[in-house]
Amino acid sequence: MSVLIFVDHSEGHIKKASFEALTYGAKIAEQTGTTAEALVLGTVSDDLAALGKYGVKKVHQVNNESLNHLDAQVYAKVIAEAATASGATVVVISHTQTGKAIAGRVAVRLKAGLVAGACALPDTSNGFVVKKTVFSGKAFANVSISSPVKVISLNPNSYTTIAGEGTAEVSQLSIAVDAPKVKVTAVNKVSGEIPLTEAEIVVSGGRGLKGPENWGILLDLAKELGAATACSRPVGDAHWRPHHEHVGQTGVQVAPNLYIAIGISGAIQHLAGVNRSKIIVVINKDPEAPFFKAADYGIVGDAFEVVPKLTEEIKKM
Ligand code: FAD
């Protein structure tokens, strides 16, 4: 019996959320007296044996070129077959865009109960109960799964990665891979930017910045902090910033360690995409701005005065 952890990668490099999933899955294996095993699809340049540091004993790879780009149906079939082959009773997948596309499909194939968006280890003292976020992170639910096989998708940034010692045994799994129905013909990279969903720090701007010509103060701060940049929806809609930077209910959902919101009111639709951030700092000239209720630290002031001063102070550090 095993806990199988799906390891996602981008251009051969394992994604941050997958290290969290590995640590989380290894802990479940420890709780349930099983072994933790990882599953990698496609070609990876990172050292797979080194995943042993996160507590997995084995790494299974299905090294097939057609798995280098996501096709949710193809991935789900391969993951489900790998889970069956490795005798997995729990399958762990990160609740990322990729994970959201595949977790449900994997669960259907395995006739497994699914907890999507888990935020804590299962309580196995009386059954198998997993805590998850609901209502865009505004509340928690404890979900009990009774099926023999269970699928859990883990919210990024909700479980701390722990790297220790050890190497894993790497083996190739022979699983027939269906021809993908989706063909990726080109990948257009936004060069020099830190991917929003992977970033530890996000600096985000709203309509309070008045126009695209004023974004320099935000970019300077982001550069000093090594942060990714984001924006509210109206900013994306007005083309002040690229559309892919828009965070919120209808945009990208982020969960960095630090989210700095500048000139953003904090509408519920915006909060839905950022409220899993560990620390939220709000800079807004209106003391009544709703965002302050969700903030860990707030600065009431004019962004055009506060942000350059903040950047100067950070430069001195
Ligand atoms: P505003 O609401 O105009 O707020 C600007 C803020 O800047 C104000 O609080 C103001 O006090 C402050 N400010 C002004 N000048 C300064 C200054 N000089 N210094 C400091 N602060 C200043 N929005 C999203 O962001 N993401 C979504 O995914 C999203 N999805 C939506 C889905 C639906 C179905 C709907 C109906 C709406 C959605 N919205 C979304 C829009 C959302 O409701 C808000 O309208 C939007 O988030 C407001 O953006 P904002 O805070 O940048 O602008």
Side-chain angles (χ1 to χ4, degrees), residues 230-249:
C231 66
S232 65
R233 177 170 153 170
V235 166
D237 288 350
H239 304 294
W240 293 0
R241 293 298 296 167
H243 188 63
H244 66 257
E245 285 195 1
H246 145 207
V247 291
Q249 184 187 317

Side-chain angles (χ1 to χ4, degrees), residues 88-92 110 112-114 127-128 145-152:
T89 48
V90 180
V91 178
V92 175
L110 293 171
L114 165 71
F128 196 96
I145 321 182
S146 55
S147 53
V149 181
K150 297 148 181 79
V151 176
I152 302 174

Side-chain angles (χ1 to χ4, degrees), residues 206-208 210 232-234 246-251 263-267 269-270 283-286 289 301-304:
R207 219 154 30 182
K210 317 279 189 246
S232 65
R233 177 170 153 170
H246 145 207
V247 291
Q249 184 187 317
T250 48
I264 303 176
S265 58
Q269 297 90 354
H270 186 85
I283 302 169
N284 196 304
K285 70 175 186 184
D286 174 9
D302 187 331
F304 298 100

Side-chain angles (χ1 to χ4, degrees), residues 6 29 73 86 108 131 133 148 152 171-172 174 186 203 221 226 243 246 255 261-262 268 271 303 315:
F6 168 67
Q73 291 182 25
S86 68
V108 168
K131 187 175 179 181
T133 50
I152 302 174
S171 64
Q172 296 300 319
S174 172
V203 178
L221 177 61
H243 188 63
H246 145 207
I262 304 168
I268 192 160
L271 292 177
K315 271 185 190 161

